[in-house]
Amino acid sequence: MTNSQHDIDSPENMARRRHGQDVLSCIDGDQGEAVIDSLANINPALGHHVAAFAFGDIYDRPDLDPRSRQFVTLGVLTALGGCEPQLKVHIGAALNVGITREEITETLLHAAVYCGFPRALNATFVAKEVFAERDGLVPLD
């Protein structure tokens, strides 16, 4: 018998997932849902927890606004390195919640002091790509 905590299709978990997907949609638009959908045929539980836990339970907490949460996310993903696909989604999310391009690039510059230039450079190139896509351009290398 499956513990209800582990049953991602239980009524309680479905409600948590729907709430998380609503939060995710407001922040990431279609990109966030595409990430969840891409997990459906390989690891639906991971997609469930990204939506239900990360966005429904944590991201929607009241003490930080979406802008502040995205600044934290950009800094952490930059510092971790190797998270360029996630950074791409969250740079788009940062723009969606009203963070300017200048604030994004300043955040990435600031991160260089703490995590090093290679990671800040990689993150900046991801930002360049996102900005070009938003402008309908192909990024130049």
Side-chain angles (χ1 to χ4, degrees), residues 118-139:
R119 290 186 176 171
L121 284 164
N122 290 345
T124 299
F125 291 131
V126 172
K128 181 180 179 181
E129 180 182 339
V130 172
F131 299 163
E133 288 173 4
R134 290 278 175 121
D135 292 340
L137 304 172
V138 176

Side-chain angles (χ1 to χ4, degrees), residues 29-111:
D30 294 337
Q31 277 194 313
E33 195 63 36
V35 171
I36 303 300
D37 291 345
S38 73
L39 295 167
N41 64 353
I42 184 135
N43 196 340
L46 180 57
H48 164 79
H49 291 296
V50 167
F53 176 71
F55 284 88
D57 295 347
I58 301 299
Y59 200 99
D60 202 35
R61 292 177 56 83
D63 292 329
L64 286 178
D65 64 5
R67 282 177 50 88
S68 298
R69 290 186 188 281
Q70 284 304 317
F71 281 122
V72 171
T73 303
L74 295 179
V76 170
L77 290 175
T78 299
L80 284 171
C83 300
E84 286 74 16
Q86 294 79 19
L87 194 54
K88 183 175 181 180
V89 170
H90 283 284
I91 289 171
L95 292 166
N96 292 345
V97 298
I99 297 174
T100 67
R101 293 174 185 207
E102 293 78 16
E103 289 172 316
I104 290 169
T105 56
E106 189 67 24
T107 299
L108 305 178
L109 172 62
H110 186 76

